[in-house]
Amino acid sequence: MKHHYLKNVVTLHLDEDKCTGCGMCIEVCPHEVLELSGKKVQMRDRDACMECGACAKNCSFSAISVNAGVGCAYALIRGALTNSQPSCDCSSTGRNESSCC
Ligand code: SF4
Ligand code: SF4
């Protein structure tokens, strides 16, 4: 099951004018947030973004920006250790003791 975070709070920003459609961001995104539409990338599922920053880091054209926090690292490590979908548990049920953000 795909995890979604709080609606409309993600800091992910895409500058379509700078996008060349190289597809690198799609390759590295763990949550299938982005998709190619013609020769540009568009956001397919913005609320599924975990703000890991991989897309922005791998975009050679500075077309993507996102405020990457520690939540992604926590989620990735926990997901790997528990063999589950990366999640920091800070969405629907609110903050809890082990939540990262
Ligand atoms: S990596 Fe950058 S230039 Fe390439 S498709 Fe993604 S946003 Fe566009
Ligand atoms: S920040 Fe991470 S989860 Fe969000 S779109 Fe970029 S690669 Fe995907």
Side-chain angles (χ1 to χ4, degrees):
M1 187 176 79
K2 193 168 186 179
H3 190 87
H4 284 81
Y5 303 92
L6 291 174
K7 285 192 180 303
N8 299 320
V9 298
V10 69
T11 58
L12 184 68
H13 176 73
L14 170 66
D15 186 339
E16 290 185 12
D17 290 338
K18 291 182 180 176
C19 177
T20 65
C22 71
M24 186 58 77
C25 56
I26 297 170
E27 291 288 322
V28 300
C29 178
H31 278 193
E32 300 176 332
V33 173
L34 306 155
E35 68 181 358
L36 209 52
S37 175
K39 294 186 175 178
K40 300 280 183 184
V41 150
Q42 68 178 19
M43 294 197 203
R44 176 167 86 179
D45 193 359
R46 191 168 186 264
D47 290 331
C49 175
M50 61 190 285
E51 297 185 328
C52 68
C55 54
K57 194 170 249 182
N58 286 279
C59 177
S60 301
F61 305 93
S62 302
I64 300 184
S65 62
V66 62
N67 292 336
V70 296
C72 55
Y74 176 91
L76 286 170
I77 292 167
R78 199 175 71 155
L81 290 175
T82 60
N83 196 28
S84 62
Q85 182 79 3
S87 167
C88 59
D89 285 344
C90 58
S91 58
S92 58
T93 57
R95 192 183 175 101
N96 65 36
E97 287 303 305
S98 61
S99 180
C100 59
C101 48

Coordinates of all heavy atoms in Angstrom, one line a residue:
M1 N 0.8 -1.2 0.0 CA 0.0 0.0 0.0 C 0.9 1.2 0.0 O 1.9 1.3 0.7 CB -0.9 0.0 1.2 CG -1.9 1.1 1.2 SD -3.1 1.0 2.6 CE -2.0 1.8 3.8
K2 N 0.5 2.2 -0.8 CA 1.3 3.4 -0.9 C 1.0 4.4 0.3 O -0.2 4.6 0.6 CB 1.0 4.1 -2.2 CG 2.0 5.2 -2.6 CD 1.8 5.6 -4.0 CE 2.9 6.6 -4.4 NZ 2.7 7.0 -5.8
H3 N 2.0 5.0 0.9 CA 1.8 5.8 2.0 C 1.6 7.3 1.5 O 2.3 7.7 0.7 CB 3.0 5.8 3.0 CG 2.7 6.5 4.3 ND1 2.1 5.8 5.3 CD2 3.0 7.7 4.6 CE1 2.0 6.7 6.3 NE2 2.5 7.8 5.9
H4 N 0.7 8.0 2.1 CA 0.5 9.4 1.9 C 0.7 10.2 3.1 O 0.4 9.7 4.2 CB -0.9 9.7 1.3 CG -1.0 9.3 -0.2 ND1 -1.2 8.0 -0.5 CD2 -0.8 10.0 -1.3 CE1 -1.2 7.9 -1.9 NE2 -1.0 9.1 -2.4
Y5 N 1.2 11.4 3.0 CA 1.5 12.3 4.1 C 0.4 13.3 4.2 O -0.6 13.2 3.5 CB 2.9 12.8 4.0 CG 3.9 11.8 3.9 CD1 4.3 11.3 2.7 CD2 4.4 11.1 5.0 CE1 5.2 10.2 2.6 CE2 5.3 10.1 4.9 CZ 5.7 9.7 3.7 OH 6.6 8.6 3.6
L6 N 0.5 14.3 5.1 CA -0.5 15.4 5.2 C -0.7 16.0 3.8 O 0.3 16.2 3.0 CB 0.0 16.4 6.2 CG 0.0 16.0 7.6 CD1 0.6 17.1 8.5 CD2 -1.4 15.6 8.1
K7 N -1.9 16.4 3.5 CA -2.2 17.0 2.2 C -1.7 18.4 2.1 O -1.8 19.2 3.0 CB -3.7 17.0 2.0 CG -4.3 15.6 1.7 CD -5.8 15.8 1.2 CE -6.4 14.4 0.9 NZ -5.6 13.7 -0.1
N8 N -1.1 18.7 0.9 CA -0.7 20.0 0.6 C 0.3 20.7 1.5 O 0.3 21.9 1.7 CB -1.9 20.9 0.4 CG -2.9 20.4 -0.7 OD1 -2.4 20.0 -1.7 ND2 -4.1 20.5 -0.4
V9 N 1.1 19.9 2.1 CA 2.2 20.5 3.0 C 3.6 20.3 2.5 O 4.5 20.9 3.0 CB 2.1 20.0 4.5 CG1 0.7 20.4 5.1 CG2 2.3 18.5 4.5
V10 N 3.7 19.4 1.5 CA 5.0 19.1 1.0 C 5.7 20.3 0.4 O 5.0 21.1 -0.2 CB 4.9 17.9 0.1 CG1 4.3 18.2 -1.2 CG2 6.3 17.3 -0.2
T11 N 7.0 20.4 0.6 CA 7.7 21.6 0.1 C 8.3 21.4 -1.3 O 9.0 22.2 -1.8 CB 8.9 21.9 1.0 OG1 9.8 20.7 1.1 CG2 8.4 22.3 2.4
L12 N 7.9 20.3 -1.9 CA 8.4 19.9 -3.3 C 7.9 21.0 -4.3 O 6.8 21.3 -4.4 CB 7.9 18.6 -3.7 CG 8.3 18.0 -5.0 CD1 9.8 17.6 -4.9 CD2 7.5 16.7 -5.3
H13 N 8.9 21.5 -5.1 CA 8.6 22.5 -6.1 C 9.2 22.1 -7.4 O 10.4 21.7 -7.4 CB 9.0 23.9 -5.7 CG 8.8 24.9 -6.7 ND1 7.5 25.4 -7.1 CD2 9.6 25.5 -7.6 CE1 7.6 26.2 -8.0 NE2 8.9 26.3 -8.4
L14 N 8.5 22.1 -8.5 CA 9.0 21.8 -9.8 C 8.9 23.0 -10.7 O 7.9 23.6 -10.8 CB 8.2 20.6 -10.4 CG 8.4 20.3 -11.8 CD1 9.8 19.8 -12.0 CD2 7.4 19.3 -12.3
D15 N 10.1 23.4 -11.3 CA 10.1 24.5 -12.3 C 10.1 23.8 -13.7 O 11.2 23.4 -14.2 CB 11.4 25.3 -12.0 CG 11.4 26.5 -12.9 OD1 10.7 26.5 -14.0 OD2 12.1 27.5 -12.6
E16 N 9.0 23.8 -14.3 CA 8.8 23.1 -15.6 C 9.7 23.7 -16.7 O 10.1 23.1 -17.6 CB 7.4 23.0 -16.0 CG 6.6 22.1 -15.1 CD 5.1 21.9 -15.6 OE1 4.8 22.3 -16.7 OE2 4.3 21.3 -14.8
D17 N 9.9 25.0 -16.5 CA 10.7 25.7 -17.6 C 12.1 25.2 -17.6 O 12.8 25.2 -18.6 CB 10.7 27.2 -17.3 CG 9.3 27.8 -17.6 OD1 8.6 27.2 -18.3 OD2 9.1 28.9 -17.0
K18 N 12.6 24.8 -16.5 CA 14.0 24.3 -16.4 C 14.1 22.8 -16.7 O 15.2 22.3 -17.0 CB 14.6 24.5 -15.0 CG 14.8 26.0 -14.7 CD 15.4 26.1 -13.3 CE 15.7 27.5 -12.9 NZ 16.2 27.6 -11.5
C19 N 13.0 22.1 -16.6 CA 13.0 20.6 -16.8 C 13.3 20.3 -18.3 O 12.7 20.8 -19.2 CB 11.7 20.0 -16.4 SG 11.6 18.3 -16.7
T20 N 14.3 19.3 -18.5 CA 14.6 18.9 -19.8 C 14.0 17.5 -20.1 O 14.1 17.0 -21.2 CB 16.1 18.7 -20.0 OG1 16.6 17.7 -19.1 CG2 16.8 20.0 -19.7
G21 N 13.3 16.9 -19.1 CA 12.7 15.6 -19.4 C 13.7 14.5 -19.3 O 13.4 13.4 -19.9
C22 N 14.8 14.7 -18.7 CA 15.9 13.6 -18.7 C 15.4 12.4 -17.9 O 15.9 11.3 -18.1 CB 17.2 14.1 -18.1 SG 17.1 14.4 -16.3
G23 N 14.5 12.5 -17.0 CA 13.9 11.4 -16.3 C 14.7 10.9 -15.0 O 14.3 10.0 -14.4
M24 N 15.8 11.6 -14.7 CA 16.6 11.2 -13.6 C 15.8 11.2 -12.3 O 15.9 10.3 -11.4 CB 17.8 12.0 -13.4 CG 18.8 11.6 -12.4 SD 19.3 9.9 -12.6 CE 20.6 10.2 -13.9
C25 N 15.0 12.2 -12.1 CA 14.2 12.3 -10.8 C 13.2 11.2 -10.7 O 13.0 10.7 -9.6 CB 13.5 13.7 -10.8 SG 12.4 13.9 -12.2
I26 N 12.7 10.7 -11.8 CA 11.7 9.6 -11.8 C 12.5 8.3 -11.3 O 11.9 7.5 -10.6 CB 11.1 9.4 -13.1 CG1 10.3 10.7 -13.5 CG2 10.2 8.2 -13.2 CD1 9.8 10.7 -14.9
E27 N 13.7 8.2 -11.8 CA 14.5 7.0 -11.5 C 14.8 6.9 -10.0 O 14.7 5.8 -9.4 CB 15.8 7.1 -12.3 CG 15.7 6.9 -13.7 CD 15.4 5.4 -14.1 OE1 15.9 4.5 -13.4 OE2 14.6 5.2 -15.0
V28 N 15.0 8.0 -9.4 CA 15.5 8.0 -8.0 C 14.4 8.1 -7.0 O 14.6 7.9 -5.8 CB 16.6 9.1 -7.7 CG1 17.8 8.8 -8.6 CG2 16.0 10.5 -7.9
C29 N 13.2 8.6 -7.4 CA 12.1 8.8 -6.4 C 11.6 7.5 -5.9 O 11.1 6.6 -6.7 CB 11.0 9.6 -7.1 SG 9.6 9.8 -6.0
P30 N 11.6 7.3 -4.6 CA 11.1 6.0 -4.0 C 9.6 5.9 -3.9 O 9.1 4.8 -3.7 CB 11.7 6.0 -2.6 CG 11.8 7.4 -2.3 CD 12.1 8.2 -3.6
H31 N 8.9 7.0 -4.2 CA 7.4 7.0 -4.0 C 6.6 7.2 -5.3 O 5.4 7.5 -5.2 CB 7.0 7.9 -2.9 CG 7.2 7.4 -1.5 ND1 6.6 8.0 -0.4 CD2 7.8 6.3 -1.1 CE1 6.9 7.3 0.6 NE2 7.6 6.3 0.3
E32 N 7.3 7.2 -6.4 CA 6.6 7.4 -7.7 C 5.8 8.7 -7.7 O 4.6 8.7 -8.1 CB 5.7 6.2 -8.0 CG 6.5 4.9 -8.2 CD 5.7 3.7 -8.4 OE1 4.5 3.7 -8.0 OE2 6.2 2.8 -9.0
V33 N 6.4 9.7 -7.2 CA 5.7 11.0 -7.1 C 5.6 11.7 -8.5 O 4.7 12.4 -8.8 CB 6.4 12.0 -6.1 CG1 5.8 13.4 -6.1 CG2 6.4 11.3 -4.7
L34 N 6.7 11.5 -9.3 CA 6.8 12.2 -10.6 C 6.6 11.3 -11.8 O 6.8 10.1 -11.7 CB 8.2 12.8 -10.6 CG 8.6 13.7 -9.4 CD1 10.1 13.7 -9.2 CD2 8.0 15.0 -9.6
E35 N 6.2 11.9 -12.9 CA 6.0 11.1 -14.1 C 6.3 12.0 -15.3 O 6.2 13.2 -15.2 CB 4.6 10.5 -14.2 CG 3.5 11.6 -14.4 CD 2.1 11.0 -14.5 OE1 2.0 9.8 -14.5 OE2 1.2 11.8 -14.7
L36 N 6.7 11.4 -16.4 CA 7.0 12.1 -17.6 C 5.7 12.4 -18.3 O 4.9 11.5 -18.5 CB 8.0 11.3 -18.4 CG 8.9 12.1 -19.3 CD1 9.7 13.2 -18.5 CD2 9.9 11.1 -20.0
S37 N 5.5 13.6 -18.8 CA 4.4 14.0 -19.6 C 4.9 14.7 -20.8 O 5.3 15.9 -20.7 CB 3.4 14.8 -18.8 OG 2.3 15.3 -19.6
G38 N 4.9 14.0 -21.9 CA 5.6 14.6 -23.1 C 7.1 14.7 -22.8 O 7.7 13.7 -22.4
K39 N 7.6 15.9 -22.9 CA 9.1 16.1 -22.6 C 9.3 16.8 -21.3 O 10.4 17.3 -21.1 CB 9.7 16.8 -23.8 CG 9.6 16.0 -25.1 CD 10.4 16.7 -26.2 CE 10.4 15.8 -27.4 NZ 11.1 16.4 -28.6
K40 N 8.4 16.8 -20.4 CA 8.5 17.4 -19.1 C 8.0 16.5 -18.0 O 7.2 15.6 -18.3 CB 7.7 18.7 -19.1 CG 8.0 19.8 -20.1 CD 9.2 20.6 -19.6 CE 9.5 21.7 -20.7 NZ 10.7 22.4 -20.3
V41 N 8.6 16.7 -16.9 CA 8.1 16.0 -15.7 C 6.9 16.7 -15.1 O 6.9 17.9 -15.1 CB 9.3 15.8 -14.7 CG1 8.7 15.7 -13.3 CG2 10.0 14.5 -15.0
Q42 N 6.0 16.0 -14.6 CA 4.9 16.6 -13.8 C 4.7 15.8 -12.5 O 5.2 14.6 -12.4 CB 3.6 16.6 -14.6 CG 3.0 15.3 -14.9 CD 1.7 15.4 -15.7 OE1 1.4 16.4 -16.3 NE2 0.9 14.3 -15.7
M43 N 4.0 16.4 -11.6 CA 3.8 15.7 -10.3 C 2.6 14.8 -10.5 O 1.5 15.3 -10.8 CB 3.6 16.7 -9.2 CG 4.8 17.5 -8.9 SD 4.7 18.3 -7.3 CE 5.9 19.6 -7.6
R44 N 2.8 13.5 -10.2 CA 1.7 12.6 -10.4 C 0.9 12.4 -9.0 O -0.3 12.3 -9.0 CB 2.2 11.2 -10.8 CG 1.2 10.1 -10.9 CD 1.7 8.9 -11.6 NE 2.4 8.0 -10.7 CZ 2.9 6.9 -11.1 NH1 2.9 6.5 -12.4 NH2 3.6 6.2 -10.3
D45 N 1.7 12.4 -7.9 CA 1.1 12.2 -6.6 C 1.9 12.9 -5.6 O 2.7 12.4 -4.8 CB 1.2 10.7 -6.3 CG 0.3 10.3 -5.2 OD1 -0.3 11.1 -4.5 OD2 0.3 9.1 -4.9
R46 N 1.7 14.3 -5.6 CA 2.5 15.2 -4.7 C 2.5 14.8 -3.2 O 3.5 14.9 -2.5 CB 2.1 16.6 -4.9 CG 3.0 17.6 -4.4 CD 2.6 19.0 -4.9 NE 3.6 20.0 -4.5 CZ 3.4 20.8 -3.4 NH1 2.3 20.6 -2.7 NH2 4.3 21.7 -3.1
D47 N 1.3 14.4 -2.7 CA 1.2 14.2 -1.3 C 1.9 12.9 -0.9 O 2.0 12.6 0.3 CB -0.3 14.1 -0.9 CG -0.9 15.4 -1.0 OD1 -0.2 16.5 -0.8 OD2 -2.2 15.5 -1.2
A48 N 2.4 12.1 -1.9 CA 3.1 10.9 -1.5 C 4.6 11.2 -1.3 O 5.4 10.3 -1.0 CB 3.0 9.8 -2.6
C49 N 5.0 12.4 -1.5 CA 6.4 12.8 -1.4 C 6.8 12.8 0.1 O 6.2 13.3 0.9 CB 6.6 14.2 -2.0 SG 8.3 14.9 -1.7
M50 N 8.0 12.1 0.3 CA 8.5 12.0 1.7 C 9.6 13.0 1.9 O 10.3 12.9 2.9 CB 9.0 10.6 2.0 CG 10.1 10.1 1.1 SD 10.4 8.4 1.2 CE 11.3 8.3 2.8
E51 N 9.8 13.9 1.0 CA 10.9 15.0 1.1 C 12.2 14.4 1.4 O 13.0 14.9 2.2 CB 10.5 16.0 2.2 CG 9.2 16.7 1.9 CD 8.8 17.8 2.8 OE1 9.2 17.7 4.0 OE2 8.3 18.8 2.4
C52 N 12.6 13.3 0.7 CA 13.9 12.7 0.9 C 15.0 13.6 0.1 O 16.1 13.5 0.5 CB 13.9 11.3 0.3 SG 13.7 11.2 -1.5
G53 N 14.6 14.3 -0.9 CA 15.5 15.2 -1.6 C 16.3 14.5 -2.7 O 17.1 15.2 -3.4
A54 N 16.0 13.3 -3.0 CA 16.8 12.6 -4.0 C 16.6 13.2 -5.4 O 17.5 13.3 -6.2 CB 16.4 11.1 -4.0
C55 N 15.4 13.6 -5.7 CA 15.1 14.1 -7.0 C 15.8 15.4 -7.2 O 16.5 15.6 -8.2 CB 13.6 14.4 -7.1 SG 12.9 15.4 -5.8
A56 N 15.8 16.3 -6.2 CA 16.5 17.6 -6.3 C 18.0 17.4 -6.4 O 18.7 18.1 -7.2 CB 16.1 18.5 -5.1
K57 N 18.5 16.5 -5.6 CA 19.9 16.2 -5.6 C 20.4 15.7 -7.0 O 21.5 15.9 -7.4 CB 20.3 15.2 -4.5 CG 21.7 15.2 -4.2 CD 21.9 14.4 -2.9 CE 22.4 15.3 -1.8 NZ 22.7 14.6 -0.6
N58 N 19.6 14.9 -7.7 CA 20.0 14.3 -8.9 C 19.5 15.1 -10.2 O 19.8 14.6 -11.3 CB 19.4 12.9 -8.9 CG 20.2 12.0 -8.0 OD1 21.3 11.5 -8.4 ND2 19.7 11.7 -6.8
C59 N 18.9 16.2 -10.0 CA 18.5 17.0 -11.1 C 19.6 17.9 -11.5 O 20.0 18.8 -10.8 CB 17.2 17.8 -10.8 SG 16.8 18.8 -12.2
S60 N 20.2 17.7 -12.7 CA 21.4 18.5 -13.1 C 20.9 19.9 -13.6 O 21.8 20.7 -13.9 CB 22.1 17.8 -14.3 OG 22.5 16.6 -13.8
F61 N 19.6 20.1 -13.6 CA 19.2 21.4 -14.2 C 18.5 22.3 -13.2 O 17.8 23.3 -13.5 CB 18.2 21.1 -15.4 CG 18.9 20.2 -16.4 CD1 18.8 18.8 -16.4 CD2 19.7 20.8 -17.4 CE1 19.4 18.0 -17.3 CE2 20.3 20.0 -18.3 CZ 20.2 18.6 -18.3
S62 N 18.6 21.9 -11.9 CA 18.0 22.6 -10.8 C 16.5 22.9 -11.0 O 16.0 24.0 -10.7 CB 18.8 24.0 -10.6 OG 20.1 23.7 -10.3
A63 N 15.8 22.0 -11.6 CA 14.4 22.1 -11.8 C 13.5 21.8 -10.6 O 12.3 22.1 -10.6 CB 14.0 21.3 -13.0
I64 N 14.1 21.1 -9.7 CA 13.3 20.7 -8.5 C 14.0 21.2 -7.2 O 15.2 21.2 -7.1 CB 13.3 19.1 -8.4 CG1 12.6 18.5 -9.7 CG2 12.5 18.7 -7.2 CD1 12.4 17.0 -9.6
S65 N 13.1 21.6 -6.3 CA 13.6 22.0 -5.0 C 12.7 21.4 -4.0 O 11.5 21.2 -4.2 CB 13.7 23.5 -4.8 OG 12.4 24.1 -4.9
V66 N 13.3 21.0 -2.8 CA 12.5 20.5 -1.7 C 13.3 20.7 -0.4 O 14.5 20.6 -0.4 CB 12.2 19.0 -2.0 CG1 13.4 18.1 -2.1 CG2 11.2 18.4 -0.9
N67 N 12.6 21.0 0.6 CA 13.3 21.1 1.9 C 13.4 19.7 2.5 O 12.4 19.2 3.2 CB 12.5 22.0 2.9 CG 12.5 23.4 2.4 OD1 13.4 23.8 1.7 ND2 11.5 24.2 2.8
A68 N 14.5 19.0 2.3 CA 14.7 17.7 2.8 C 15.0 17.7 4.3 O 15.9 18.5 4.7 CB 15.8 17.0 2.0
G69 N 14.3 16.9 5.1 CA 14.6 16.9 6.5 C 15.1 15.6 7.0 O 15.5 14.8 6.2
V70 N 15.1 15.4 8.3 CA 15.6 14.1 8.8 C 14.5 13.0 8.7 O 14.8 11.8 8.9 CB 16.0 14.2 10.3 CG1 17.2 15.2 10.4 CG2 14.9 14.7 11.2
G71 N 13.3 13.4 8.5 CA 12.2 12.4 8.5 C 12.5 11.3 7.4 O 12.2 10.1 7.7
C72 N 13.1 11.7 6.3 CA 13.3 10.7 5.2 C 14.3 9.7 5.7 O 14.2 8.5 5.5 CB 13.8 11.4 4.0 SG 15.2 12.5 4.2
A73 N 15.4 10.1 6.3 CA 16.4 9.2 6.8 C 15.9 8.2 7.8 O 16.1 7.0 7.7 CB 17.6 10.0 7.4
Y74 N 15.1 8.7 8.7 CA 14.5 7.9 9.7 C 13.6 6.9 9.1 O 13.6 5.7 9.4 CB 13.7 8.8 10.7 CG 12.9 8.0 11.7 CD1 13.4 7.8 13.0 CD2 11.6 7.6 11.4 CE1 12.7 7.1 13.9 CE2 10.8 7.0 12.4 CZ 11.4 6.7 13.6 OH 10.6 6.0 14.5
A75 N 12.8 7.3 8.1 CA 11.8 6.5 7.4 C 12.5 5.4 6.6 O 12.1 4.2 6.6 CB 10.9 7.3 6.6
L76 N 13.5 5.8 5.9 CA 14.3 4.8 5.1 C 14.9 3.7 5.9 O 14.9 2.5 5.6 CB 15.3 5.5 4.2 CG 14.8 6.3 3.1 CD1 15.9 7.2 2.4 CD2 14.1 5.4 2.0
I77 N 15.6 4.1 7.0 CA 16.2 3.2 7.9 C 15.2 2.2 8.5 O 15.4 1.0 8.5 CB 17.1 3.9 9.0 CG1 18.2 4.6 8.3 CG2 17.6 2.9 10.0 CD1 18.9 5.6 9.2
R78 N 14.2 2.8 9.0 CA 13.1 2.0 9.7 C 12.5 1.0 8.7 O 12.2 -0.1 9.0 CB 12.1 2.9 10.4 CG 11.3 2.1 11.4 CD 10.4 2.9 12.1 NE 9.3 3.3 11.2 CZ 8.1 3.6 11.7 NH1 7.8 3.7 12.9 NH2 7.1 4.0 10.8
G79 N 12.2 1.6 7.5 CA 11.6 0.7 6.4 C 12.6 -0.4 6.1 O 12.1 -1.6 5.9
A80 N 13.9 -0.2 6.0 CA 14.8 -1.2 5.7 C 14.9 -2.3 6.8 O 15.0 -3.5 6.6 CB 16.2 -0.6 5.4
L81 N 14.9 -1.8 8.0 CA 15.0 -2.7 9.2 C 13.7 -3.6 9.4 O 13.8 -4.7 9.8 CB 15.2 -1.9 10.5 CG 16.6 -1.2 10.6 CD1 16.7 -0.4 11.8 CD2 17.7 -2.3 10.6
T82 N 12.6 -3.0 9.0 CA 11.3 -3.7 9.2 C 10.8 -4.3 7.9 O 9.7 -4.9 7.9 CB 10.3 -2.8 9.8 OG1 10.0 -1.7 9.0 CG2 10.7 -2.3 11.2
N83 N 11.6 -4.1 6.8 CA 11.1 -4.6 5.5 C 9.7 -4.2 5.2 O 8.9 -4.9 4.8 CB 11.2 -6.2 5.5 CG 11.2 -6.7 4.1 OD1 11.6 -6.0 3.2 ND2 10.6 -7.9 3.9
S84 N 9.5 -2.8 5.4 CA 8.2 -2.3 5.1 C 8.4 -1.0 4.3 O 9.5 -0.5 4.1 CB 7.5 -2.0 6.4 OG 8.2 -1.1 7.2
Q85 N 7.2 -0.4 3.9 CA 7.2 0.8 3.1 C 7.8 1.9 4.0 O 7.4 2.1 5.2 CB 5.8 1.2 2.7 CG 5.6 2.4 1.9 CD 6.0 2.2 0.5 OE1 6.3 1.1 0.0 NE2 5.9 3.3 -0.3
P86 N 8.8 2.8 3.5 CA 9.3 3.8 4.4 C 8.2 4.8 4.8 O 7.4 5.3 4.0 CB 10.3 4.5 3.4 CG 10.7 3.5 2.5 CD 9.5 2.7 2.2
S87 N 8.1 5.0 6.1 CA 7.1 6.0 6.6 C 7.6 6.5 8.0 O 8.1 5.8 8.8 CB 5.8 5.2 6.8 OG 4.9 6.1 7.6
C88 N 7.4 7.8 8.2 CA 7.8 8.4 9.5 C 6.6 8.5 10.4 O 6.8 9.0 11.5 CB 8.5 9.7 9.3 SG 7.4 10.9 8.5
D89 N 5.5 8.0 10.0 CA 4.3 8.0 10.9 C 3.9 9.3 11.4 O 3.3 9.5 12.5 CB 4.5 7.1 12.1 CG 4.4 5.6 11.7 OD1 3.9 5.3 10.6 OD2 4.9 4.8 12.5
C90 N 4.1 10.4 10.6 CA 3.7 11.7 11.1 C 2.5 12.2 10.3 O 2.3 13.4 10.2 CB 4.9 12.7 10.9 SG 5.5 12.8 9.3
S91 N 1.7 11.3 9.6 CA 0.6 11.8 8.8 C -0.7 11.8 9.5 O -1.0 12.6 10.3 CB 0.6 11.0 7.5 OG 0.5 9.6 7.8
S92 N -1.5 10.8 9.2 CA -2.9 10.8 9.6 C -3.2 10.8 11.1 O -4.1 11.4 11.6 CB -3.6 9.6 8.9 OG -3.0 8.4 9.3
T93 N -2.4 10.1 11.9 CA -2.7 10.0 13.3 C -1.9 11.0 14.1 O -2.0 11.0 15.3 CB -2.3 8.6 13.8 OG1 -0.9 8.4 13.5 CG2 -3.1 7.5 13.2
G94 N -1.2 11.9 13.5 CA -0.5 12.9 14.2 C 0.8 12.4 14.7 O 1.2 11.3 14.5
R95 N 1.4 13.3 15.5 CA 2.7 13.0 16.1 C 2.6 11.9 17.2 O 1.7 11.8 17.9 CB 3.2 14.3 16.7 CG 4.7 14.2 17.0 CD 5.1 15.6 17.7 NE 6.5 15.4 18.1 CZ 7.5 16.0 17.4 NH1 7.3 16.6 16.3 NH2 8.7 15.8 17.9
N96 N 3.6 11.0 17.2 CA 3.7 10.1 18.3 C 5.1 10.1 18.8 O 6.0 10.8 18.4 CB 3.3 8.7 17.8 CG 4.2 8.1 16.8 OD1 5.4 8.3 16.8 ND2 3.6 7.4 15.8
E97 N 5.3 9.2 19.8 CA 6.6 9.2 20.5 C 7.8 9.0 19.6 O 8.9 9.6 19.8 CB 6.6 8.2 21.6 CG 5.7 8.6 22.8 CD 6.1 9.9 23.5 OE1 7.3 10.0 23.8 OE2 5.3 10.8 23.6
S98 N 7.6 8.1 18.7 CA 8.8 7.7 17.8 C 8.8 8.5 16.5 O 9.6 8.2 15.6 CB 8.7 6.2 17.5 OG 7.5 5.9 16.8
S99 N 7.8 9.4 16.4 CA 7.8 10.2 15.1 C 9.0 11.1 14.9 O 9.5 11.6 15.9 CB 6.5 11.0 15.1 OG 6.4 11.7 13.9
C100 N 9.3 11.3 13.7 CA 10.5 12.1 13.4 C 10.2 13.6 13.3 O 11.0 14.4 13.3 CB 11.2 11.6 12.2 SG 10.1 11.7 10.8
C101 N 8.9 13.9 12.9 CA 8.6 15.3 12.6 C 7.2 15.6 12.9 O 6.4 14.8 13.3 CB 8.9 15.6 11.1 SG 8.2 14.3 10.0
Ligands
SF4_1 S1 15.8 15.4 -13.2 FE1 15.3 17.5 -13.5 S2 15.5 17.9 -15.7 FE2 15.4 15.7 -15.4 S3 13.3 15.2 -15.7 FE3 13.6 15.5 -13.5 S4 13.1 17.7 -13.1 FE4 13.3 17.4 -15.3
SF4_2 S1 11.8 14.4 -2.5 FE1 12.0 12.1 -2.6 S2 9.9 11.3 -2.4 FE2 9.7 13.5 -2.9 S3 9.6 13.6 -5.1 FE3 11.7 13.9 -4.6 S4 12.6 11.8 -4.7 FE4 10.3 11.6 -4.6

